[in-house]
Amino acid sequence: LIKFVAPSIIMMIFTSVYCVVDGFFVSNYAGKIQFAAVNLIMPFMMLPGAFGFMIGTGGNAIVSKTLGEGNKKKANEIFTLIVAVSAVGIIVTVLCQIFLKKVIVLLGADEQMQPYCEMYGRIILTTMTFFMMQNTFQSLLLTAGKPHFALVVTVAAGVTNMVLDFLFVGVFKWGVQGAATATAISEVIGGLLPLIYFITNNSSNLRLTSKCKFDGKALLKTCTNGSSELMTNVSMSLVNMLYNMDDMSSIGP
């Protein structure tokens, strides 16, 4: 049991790297205003990723049950549907890009912080779909019987973020732009590697099929099963956003 769950525990630790590494390098190499901007916008950037956790966790239960029933064909179809639904991140990205400036003002960013918040947010949003897919694949790779591959992908993405943060922010002095670019590249790695793996002829229990049938019942169960994971991540982001708004209002202009 410990051998099976250990990769999942380590994956959650490295997933948290996204919330820590950018702030560490920005605060030490870019300055307090840029650091404050990253802290202010980061909780909002984590909100769309919660959707990936929901369909990954909820879909994991449905796909596992179907596999246990011996219906591998249907399990692969549901798996493909879940991955396809995670691509809704494109729509989320467009909406967030449209309302980003209003959100930044609502969060209480002053005139000095607003350009940095917007720069960081727009770069991160370009790869939001990959981040959502990464969160989705984290759970589904366990169902596929590949927890160690899931760990490798997550660690690779986390290490990429750390190394590029050091280069872009610490060495090249790109500030918020460098931190956001480093995170965006690591998110692409985290979402793209599992996608390539499942598209190819792999040795796992699951693979993406060319035909994807819409199964409303399975999709509804996926969302309801993963709703607790969704609300956990949403509540954490909202609480952090409220804390930031309260701090900004207390400090004043």
Side-chain angles (χ1 to χ4, degrees):
L1 178 61
I2 294 175
K3 183 178 179 181
F4 183 79
V5 300
S8 299
I9 296 172
I10 299 173
M11 277 193 297
M12 292 304 298
I13 295 173
F14 269 87
T15 300
S16 302
V17 164
Y18 292 123
C19 305
V20 178
V21 175
D22 285 357
F24 173 81
F25 282 98
V26 170
S27 64
N28 283 276
Y29 296 101
K32 60 182 181 180
I33 295 178
Q34 295 189 41
F35 176 56
V38 171
N39 278 334
L40 192 69
I41 197 63
M42 177 62 80
F44 177 71
M45 293 294 98
M46 298 301 293
L47 277 174
F51 181 81
F53 283 116
M54 178 187 73
I55 61 176
T57 304
N60 180 44
I62 304 299
V63 175
S64 297
K65 177 178 178 294
T66 308
L67 279 175
E69 294 170 346
N71 195 342
K72 189 174 182 178
K73 180 177 179 295
K74 185 177 180 181
N76 282 324
E77 290 176 352
I78 296 175
F79 168 63
T80 304
L81 174 63
I82 291 170
V83 174
V85 169
S86 68
V88 74
I90 298 173
I91 300 175
V92 175
T93 296
V94 172
L95 292 175
C96 289
Q97 290 279 16
I98 292 173
F99 296 105
L100 183 60
K101 283 188 176 181
K102 293 183 178 180
V103 170
I104 291 171
V105 174
L106 180 64
L107 291 176
D110 57 27
E111 292 183 357
Q112 288 182 300
M113 293 169 58
Q114 286 179 14
Y116 296 119
C117 287
E118 185 176 357
M119 181 186 297
Y120 188 87
R122 295 206 183 282
I123 293 174
I124 294 295
L125 285 171
T126 59
T127 58
M128 184 56 65
T129 302
F130 289 100
F131 181 57
M132 294 172 66
M133 291 176 65
Q134 178 184 353
N135 295 338
T136 301
F137 281 127
Q138 279 184 356
S139 297
L140 292 170
L141 277 167
L142 302 181
T143 305
K146 296 295 179 179
H148 292 91
F149 178 69
L151 174 60
V152 169
V153 172
T154 304
V155 171
V159 171
T160 299
N161 192 19
M162 289 185 280
V163 172
L164 292 182
D165 263 327
F166 171 73
L167 289 175
F168 295 165
V169 184
V171 178
F172 299 151
K173 308 299 182 183
W174 291 353
V176 166
Q177 182 179 2
T181 303
T183 298
I185 293 173
S186 64
E187 289 176 352
V188 171
I189 292 174
L192 193 59
L193 288 181
L195 181 64
I196 294 173
Y197 176 78
F198 283 118
I199 289 176
T200 59
N201 188 19
N202 61 79
S203 60
S204 73
N205 298 323
L206 297 172
R207 58 180 46 84
L208 294 171
T209 62
S210 57
K211 295 181 180 180
C212 176
K213 297 180 180 179
F214 181 78
D215 190 335
K217 184 178 180 181
L219 188 58
L220 178 61
K221 285 185 177 181
T222 294
C223 294
T224 53
N225 287 342
S227 59
S228 59
E229 192 74 18
L230 171 71
M231 295 311 301
T232 298
N233 286 275
V234 167
S235 62
M236 290 173 59
S237 294
L238 289 178
V239 168
N240 287 329
M241 290 166 65
L242 291 172
Y243 275 136
N244 288 336
M245 291 169 66
D246 183 67
D247 287 342
M248 293 302 297
S249 63
S250 300
I251 294 172

